[in-house]
């Protein structure tokens, strides 16, 4: 069995005892274990702050960008090994694992490019120079520099590669050392990814640390200047926000939590638009077996089109082969763990009190692999009362489950979507420009991202669950209120804004 280690104070370290076991969700056999017991996390954070911080802050953005490019290449070189770990430890199909790993290397490369663009400087200008009085020499300029602490990057189980990479790309480029803390259940891929970076000897000492396994007393050692970037369930997010050391020391926290993402099909959509809607809905239900924070949970369809959608989407789901991800024909593997399957089944039962199953078998997973493995087959539900608040709008079933919500008019579609109380992403498929404008105006305040697909881009449209580094990832309300990525804006979390007041000529000279 693989024994996973943490990388702290520049050395690989195993915790005491057995720790937690990690399993192959297809066979239910243990494949690895990870313990953090007895590790000195206070010392690890201090090392990152005191050794890694100054070393990174001494580099320019271009130099930090260069580090990210080399990290991306080192991880890409291990792609096949990482894909195999994704299969063994998370039940990923090859496609699912590539989505995670290529997302990681792609995001690192994107921020490498931004570093090159920001160039030979350590200080970012933030906005325009402001003249403060009638005397044009008296000016002010906001700047941004790296926060002086360590960025603690806590991630969910579903993206063990991309989850850490997207956060560390932004933090390292900003000039902050990072300590990654992947979810224990699927931490093997993160450990292997960090091993690839460490072995390539790219980063200055203290710039990158990894805690593989339980968080232990990690948060107790946080202090001002540190940042916690958390992705996971809303409850864990709330626990972290309320942690005494975080509250007492003014630690900056960003929370990316769960979200009841929606898709809206507009009446009168062009055929190409309708096909793109079906493709996206199918991808969002089946990719990573529905275990994506951006997956579509609610499908809003004009009432008169519901039967067609059930038939067409059902036909696509019926053609999707589910089973052992080692089989090249399989398009959907098991859920990542026994706990995830139990939670998804419980959530589905809660939804069934408010919705009818219109496609699939809620018990269907049991037979997939002769009763072995944490399988769940796709289920489509139809809400009994789409405009009624409740589980359909606030219970995230983290699996291949989505609920159809028939609507009579645009006002109903807007009202139902808003019941998600703040989401990461909603997608709209339609060709009625007035309706699209109304939806943007009336839904943007409830969302981190809106994806509009009309006939002109239908064939090339990206699935709404795909997070691009150019654009914001995060959403208001129940989605956690966080914001990541969005290109240069992603550096804000890891930088301190400081207003510099002084002589115009001097500031121009210093900040050039
Ligand atoms: P989770 O149970 O909330 O765990 C998330 C992370 O928090 C894990 O690394 C976990 O470590 C750690 N953690 C738990 N308790 C902690 C504590 N007291 N102090 C510090 N860290 C702690 O979530 P999950 O089951 O891994 O992921 C599923 C959820 O994540 C879903 O709800 C999904 O929507 C959400 N998610 C959101 C996004 C987004 O960007 N908005 C992206 C992906 C997933 P252990 O594993 O060691 O317990």
């Amino acid at each position: 069995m693989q024994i996973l280690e943490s990388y702290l104070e520049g050395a690989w370290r195993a915790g005491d005892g057995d720790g937690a076991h990690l399993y192959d969700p297809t066979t239910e056999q243990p494949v690895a274990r990870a313990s953090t017991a007895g590790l000195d996390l206070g010392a690890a954070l201090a090392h990152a702050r005191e050794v890694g911080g100054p070393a990174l802050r001494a580099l320019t953005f271009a130099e930090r960008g260069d580090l990210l490019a080399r990290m991306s290449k080192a991880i890409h070189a291990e792609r096949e090994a990482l894909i195999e770990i994704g299969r063994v430890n998370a039940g990923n199909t090859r496609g699912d694992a590539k989505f995670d790993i290529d997302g990681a290397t792609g995001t690192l490369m994107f921020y490498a490019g931004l570093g090159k663009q920001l160039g030979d400087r350590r200080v970012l200008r933030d906005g325009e120079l402001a003249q403060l009085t009638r005397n044009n020499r008296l000016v002010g300029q906001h700047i941004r520099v790296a926060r002086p602490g360590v960025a603690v990057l806590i991630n969910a189980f579903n993206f063990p590669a991309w989850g850490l990479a997207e956060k560390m790309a932004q933090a390292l480029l900003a000039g902050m050392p990072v300590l990654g803390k992947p979810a224990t259940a699927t931490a093997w891929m993160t450990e292997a990814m960090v091993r690839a970076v460490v072995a390539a000897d790219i980063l200055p000492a203290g710039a990158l640390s990894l805690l593989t396994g339980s968080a232990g007393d990690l948060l107790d050692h946080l202090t001002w200047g540190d940042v916690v970037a958390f992705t996971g369930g809303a409850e864990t997010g709330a626990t972290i926000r309320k942690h005494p050391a975080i509250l007492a020391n003014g630690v900056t926290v960003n929370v990316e939590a769960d979200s009841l993402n929606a898709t809206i099909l507009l009446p009168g959509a062009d055929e190409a638009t309708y096909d793109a809607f079906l493709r996206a809905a199918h991808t969002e239900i089946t990719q990573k077996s529905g275990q994506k924070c951006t997956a579509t949970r609610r499908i809003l369809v004009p009432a008169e089109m519901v039967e067609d959608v059930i038939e067409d989407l059902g036909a696509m789901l019926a053609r999707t082969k589910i089973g052992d991800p080692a089989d090249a024909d399989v398009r959907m593997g098991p859920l990542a763990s026994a706990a995830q399957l139990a939670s998804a089944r419980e959530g589905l039962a809660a939804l069934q009190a408010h919705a009818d199953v219109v496609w699939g078998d809620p018990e269907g997973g049991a037979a997939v692999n002769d009763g072995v493995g944490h399988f769940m087959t796709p289920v489509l539900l139809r809400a009994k009362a789409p405009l009624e608040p409740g589980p359909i709008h606030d219970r995230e079933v983290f699996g291949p489950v989505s609920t159809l919500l028939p609507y009579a008019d645009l006002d109903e579609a807007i009202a139902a979507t808003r019941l998600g109380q703040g989401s990461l992403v909603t997608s709209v498929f339609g060709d009625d420009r007035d309706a699209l404008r109304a939806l943007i105006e009336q839904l943007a305040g409830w969302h981190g991202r809106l994806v509009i697909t009309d006939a002109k881009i239908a064939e090339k449209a990206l699935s709404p669950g795909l997070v691009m580094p150019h654009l914001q990832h995060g959403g208001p309300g129940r989605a956690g209120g966080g914001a990541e990525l969005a290109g240069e804006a992603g550096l804000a979390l890891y930088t301190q804004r400081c207003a510099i007041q002084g002589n115009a000529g001097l500031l121009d000279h210093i900040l050039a």
Side-chain angles (χ1 to χ4, degrees):
M1 183 180 316
Q2 186 80 13
I3 296 174
L4 304 181
E5 293 180 321
S6 296
Y7 187 69
L8 304 172
E9 298 178 74
W12 286 101
R13 299 166 196 273
D16 299 334
D18 274 3
H21 282 87
L22 286 67
Y23 294 86
D24 179 338
T26 307
T27 63
E28 301 185 35
Q29 293 303 306
V31 291
R33 58 185 169 82
S35 166
T36 59
L39 298 176
D40 187 344
L41 304 186
L45 288 170
H47 176 80
R49 258 182 230 116
E50 289 156 23
V51 179
L56 283 167
R57 292 197 294 272
L59 301 178
T60 64
F61 284 100
E63 287 168 333
R64 294 175 208 151
D66 183 53
L67 298 179
L68 298 183
R70 289 161 60 199
M71 290 167 74
S72 175
K73 286 179 191 154
I75 296 166
H76 184 75
E78 293 302 314
R79 189 172 184 252
E80 285 304 317
L82 293 171
I83 289 172
E84 180 59 8
I85 293 172
R87 179 183 73 78
V88 169
N89 182 207
N92 288 170
T93 60
R94 188 173 170 81
D96 286 344
K98 284 197 296 190
F99 188 62
D100 188 14
I101 298 158
D102 296 347
T105 51
T107 305
L108 284 164
M109 244 347 155
F110 173 88
Y111 274 96
L114 178 62
K116 195 170 177 187
Q117 212 178 302
L118 295 174
D120 201 13
R121 61 173 72 198
R122 294 175 192 82
V123 171
L124 288 178
R125 278 181 186 246
D126 185 356
E128 301 294 317
L129 199 78
Q131 187 175 321
L132 303 177
T133 67
R134 283 199 187 153
N135 182 335
N136 62 7
R137 283 205 176 158
L138 286 177
V139 297
Q141 168 75 56
H142 287 107
I143 63 161
R144 286 193 167 275
V145 294
R147 293 188 196 272
V150 53
V152 172
L153 312 178
I154 303 175
N155 276 304
F157 76 89
N158 57 338
F159 282 101
W162 181 85
L164 175 60
E166 62 98 16
K167 287 181 166 65
M168 76 181 170
Q170 298 161 87
L172 291 172
L173 184 60
M176 284 194 80
V178 304
L179 183 144
K181 152 66 187 110
T184 303
T186 57
W188 189 357
M189 189 186 293
T190 321
E191 198 243 31
M193 182 175 92
V194 170
R195 274 191 192 277
V197 172
V198 170
D201 196 17
I202 296 165
L203 291 168
L208 172 60
S209 307
L210 179 74
L211 184 64
T212 314
S214 156
D217 64 357
L218 178 70
L219 302 184
D220 294 345
H221 302 286
L222 295 180
T223 188
W224 80 272
D226 294 339
V227 173
V228 175
F230 167 81
T231 293
E235 257 178 55
T236 319
T239 306
I240 288 174
R241 277 192 219 273
K242 286 186 286 198
H243 189 278
I246 288 179
L247 288 178
N249 301 327
V251 175
T252 304
V253 177
N254 189 77
V255 172
E256 302 285 4
D258 47 54
S259 167
L260 276 287
N261 312 297
T263 188
I264 304 172
L265 174 66
L266 291 181
D270 192 277
E271 199 180 324
T273 311
Y274 179 68
D275 288 346
F277 157 80
L278 288 176
R279 277 197 306 277
H282 176 262
T283 299
E284 295 306 320
I285 292 169
T286 58
Q287 190 172 50
K288 292 203 130 238
S289 310
Q291 301 166 108
K292 287 191 313 189
C293 54
T294 50
T296 304
R297 307 294 174 197
R298 301 175 296 155
I299 304 178
L300 283 82
V301 175
E304 66 279 9
M305 294 181 73
V306 172
E307 294 305 328
D308 286 347
V309 169
I310 295 170
E311 192 181 328
D312 295 341
L313 188 53
M316 291 170 83
L317 291 169
R319 288 195 296 271
T320 307
K321 187 163 178 199
I322 300 157
D324 183 340
D327 176 349
D329 296 337
V330 162
R331 290 288 164 267
M332 200 179 104
L335 300 198
S337 65
Q340 286 306 319
L341 180 62
S343 156
R345 287 215 185 289
E346 206 182 290
L348 176 55
L351 296 190
Q352 281 180 260
H354 300 264
D356 301 312
V357 173
V358 290
W359 195 91
D361 173 4
E363 306 297 328
V368 170
N369 196 27
D370 297 330
V372 182
H374 309 307
F375 289 92
M376 184 171 194
T377 46
V379 176
L380 279 180
L381 302 149
R382 174 168 37 199
K384 291 176 185 164
L387 290 169
E388 195 179 278
I392 301 298
H393 301 287
D394 62 27
R395 180 78 182 244
E396 181 199 44
V397 179
F398 218 54
V401 176
S402 207
T403 305
L404 290 151
L405 288 82
Y407 68 84
D409 56 30
L410 208 57
D411 287 345
E412 273 194 26
I414 291 166
T417 306
R418 287 178 171 181
L419 288 173
Q421 299 160 64
S423 302
L424 293 172
V425 56
T426 275
S427 50
V428 186
F429 292 81
D431 293 280
D432 173 344
R433 292 196 167 186
D434 291 337
L436 291 171
R437 182 185 298 110
L439 287 173
I440 291 174
E441 287 174 2
Q442 301 206 43
L443 290 179
W446 276 251
H447 290 85
R449 187 160 58 94
L450 293 174
V451 181
I452 314 291
T453 302
D454 67 2
K456 291 235 163 72
I457 56 163
E459 276 174 27
K460 301 213 161 47
L462 302 172
S463 200
L466 178 62
V467 170
M468 302 297 286
H470 322 61
L471 297 180
Q472 170 172 267
H473 174 58
R478 66 166 301 122
E484 293 183 335
L485 300 171
E488 191 177 332
L491 305 186
L493 178 62
Y494 305 100
T495 50
Q496 173 65 38
R497 181 162 58 190
C498 180
I500 308 291
Q501 224 174 300
N503 163 3
L506 181 76
L507 293 198
D508 242 6
H509 177 73
I510 293 172
L511 301 176

Coordinates of all heavy atoms in Angstrom, one line a residue, residues 96-122:
D96 N -11.9 12.0 -17.4 CA -12.1 12.7 -16.2 C -10.8 13.2 -15.6 O -10.6 14.3 -15.1 CB -12.9 11.9 -15.1 CG -14.3 11.8 -15.5 OD1 -14.8 12.5 -16.3 OD2 -15.0 10.9 -14.9
A97 N -9.8 12.2 -15.6 CA -8.5 12.5 -15.0 C -7.8 13.6 -15.9 O -7.2 14.5 -15.3 CB -7.6 11.3 -15.0
K98 N -7.9 13.5 -17.2 CA -7.3 14.5 -18.0 C -7.9 15.9 -17.8 O -7.2 16.9 -17.8 CB -7.4 14.1 -19.5 CG -6.5 13.0 -19.9 CD -6.4 12.9 -21.4 CE -7.6 12.5 -22.2 NZ -7.5 12.2 -23.5
F99 N -9.2 15.9 -17.6 CA -9.8 17.2 -17.3 C -9.2 17.9 -16.1 O -9.0 19.1 -16.1 CB -11.3 16.9 -17.1 CG -12.2 18.1 -16.9 CD1 -12.4 18.9 -18.0 CD2 -12.9 18.3 -15.8 CE1 -13.2 20.0 -17.9 CE2 -13.8 19.4 -15.7 CZ -14.0 20.2 -16.7
D100 N -8.9 17.1 -15.1 CA -8.4 17.6 -13.8 C -6.9 18.0 -14.1 O -6.5 19.1 -13.8 CB -8.5 16.5 -12.8 CG -8.1 17.0 -11.4 OD1 -8.0 18.2 -11.2 OD2 -7.9 16.1 -10.5
I101 N -6.1 17.1 -14.6 CA -4.7 17.3 -14.7 C -4.3 18.4 -15.8 O -3.5 19.3 -15.6 CB -4.0 16.0 -15.1 CG1 -4.2 14.9 -14.0 CG2 -2.5 16.2 -15.4 CD1 -4.0 13.5 -14.4
D102 N -5.0 18.3 -16.9 CA -4.7 19.3 -18.0 C -5.3 20.7 -17.5 O -4.7 21.7 -17.9 CB -5.4 18.9 -19.3 CG -4.7 17.6 -19.9 OD1 -3.7 17.2 -19.4 OD2 -5.3 17.1 -20.8
G103 N -6.3 20.7 -16.7 CA -6.8 21.9 -16.1 C -5.7 22.5 -15.2 O -5.5 23.7 -15.2
A104 N -5.0 21.6 -14.5 CA -4.0 22.1 -13.6 C -2.8 22.7 -14.4 O -2.4 23.9 -14.1 CB -3.5 20.9 -12.8
T105 N -2.3 22.0 -15.4 CA -1.1 22.5 -16.1 C -1.5 23.7 -17.0 O -0.7 24.6 -17.1 CB -0.5 21.4 -17.0 OG1 -1.6 20.8 -17.8 CG2 0.1 20.3 -16.1
G106 N -2.7 23.7 -17.5 CA -3.2 24.8 -18.3 C -3.3 26.1 -17.5 O -2.9 27.2 -18.0
T107 N -3.8 26.0 -16.3 CA -4.0 27.2 -15.5 C -2.6 27.7 -15.0 O -2.4 28.9 -15.0 CB -4.9 26.8 -14.2 OG1 -6.1 26.3 -14.7 CG2 -5.2 28.1 -13.4
L108 N -1.7 26.8 -14.7 CA -0.3 27.2 -14.3 C 0.3 28.0 -15.5 O 0.9 29.0 -15.4 CB 0.5 26.0 -13.9 CG 0.3 25.4 -12.5 CD1 0.8 24.0 -12.4 CD2 0.8 26.4 -11.4
M109 N 0.1 27.4 -16.7 CA 0.7 28.1 -17.9 C 0.0 29.4 -18.2 O 0.7 30.4 -18.6 CB 0.4 27.2 -19.1 CG 1.6 26.6 -19.8 SD 3.2 27.2 -19.5 CE 4.2 25.8 -19.9
F110 N -1.3 29.5 -17.9 CA -2.0 30.8 -18.2 C -1.4 31.8 -17.2 O -1.1 33.0 -17.7 CB -3.5 30.6 -17.9 CG -4.2 31.9 -17.9 CD1 -4.8 32.4 -19.1 CD2 -4.4 32.7 -16.7 CE1 -5.4 33.6 -19.1 CE2 -5.1 33.9 -16.7 CZ -5.6 34.4 -17.9
Y111 N -1.2 31.5 -16.0 CA -0.6 32.5 -15.0 C 0.9 32.7 -15.3 O 1.4 33.8 -15.0 CB -0.9 32.1 -13.6 CG -2.3 32.6 -13.2 CD1 -3.4 31.8 -13.3 CD2 -2.5 34.0 -12.8 CE1 -4.7 32.3 -13.0 CE2 -3.7 34.5 -12.6 CZ -4.8 33.7 -12.7 OH -6.1 34.2 -12.4
A112 N 1.5 31.7 -15.9 CA 2.9 32.0 -16.3 C 2.9 33.1 -17.4 O 3.8 34.0 -17.3 CB 3.5 30.7 -16.9
G113 N 2.0 33.0 -18.3 CA 1.9 34.0 -19.3 C 1.6 35.4 -18.7 O 2.1 36.4 -19.2
L114 N 0.7 35.4 -17.7 CA 0.4 36.7 -17.1 C 1.6 37.3 -16.4 O 1.9 38.5 -16.5 CB -0.7 36.5 -16.0 CG -1.1 37.8 -15.3 CD1 -1.7 38.9 -16.2 CD2 -2.2 37.5 -14.2
G115 N 2.4 36.4 -15.8 CA 3.7 36.8 -15.1 C 4.6 37.5 -16.1 O 5.1 38.6 -15.9
K116 N 4.7 36.9 -17.3 CA 5.6 37.4 -18.3 C 5.1 38.8 -18.7 O 5.8 39.8 -18.9 CB 5.5 36.5 -19.5 CG 6.6 36.7 -20.5 CD 6.6 35.6 -21.5 CE 7.6 35.8 -22.6 NZ 7.5 34.8 -23.6
Q117 N 3.7 38.9 -18.9 CA 3.1 40.2 -19.3 C 3.3 41.3 -18.2 O 3.6 42.4 -18.5 CB 1.6 39.9 -19.4 CG 0.8 40.7 -20.4 CD -0.6 40.1 -20.3 OE1 -0.9 38.9 -20.5 NE2 -1.5 41.0 -20.0
L118 N 3.2 40.9 -16.9 CA 3.4 41.9 -15.8 C 4.9 42.3 -15.7 O 5.2 43.4 -15.2 CB 2.9 41.3 -14.5 CG 1.4 41.1 -14.5 CD1 1.0 40.4 -13.1 CD2 0.6 42.4 -14.6
G119 N 5.7 41.4 -16.2 CA 7.1 41.8 -16.4 C 8.0 41.9 -15.2 O 7.8 41.3 -14.1
D120 N 9.0 42.9 -15.4 CA 10.1 43.0 -14.5 C 9.8 43.9 -13.3 O 10.5 44.9 -13.1 CB 11.2 43.6 -15.4 CG 12.6 43.3 -14.9 OD1 12.7 42.5 -14.0 OD2 13.5 44.0 -15.3
R121 N 8.8 43.6 -12.6 CA 8.4 44.4 -11.4 C 7.9 43.5 -10.3 O 7.5 42.4 -10.4 CB 7.3 45.4 -11.8 CG 6.1 44.6 -12.3 CD 4.9 45.5 -12.6 NE 5.1 46.3 -13.8 CZ 4.4 47.4 -14.1 NH1 3.5 47.8 -13.2 NH2 4.6 48.0 -15.2
R122 N 7.9 44.1 -9.1 CA 7.4 43.4 -7.9 C 6.2 44.1 -7.3 O 5.6 43.6 -6.4 CB 8.5 43.4 -6.8 CG 9.7 42.6 -7.2 CD 10.8 42.7 -6.2 NE 12.1 42.2 -6.7 CZ 12.9 42.8 -7.5 NH1 12.6 44.1 -7.9 NH2 14.0 42.2 -8.0

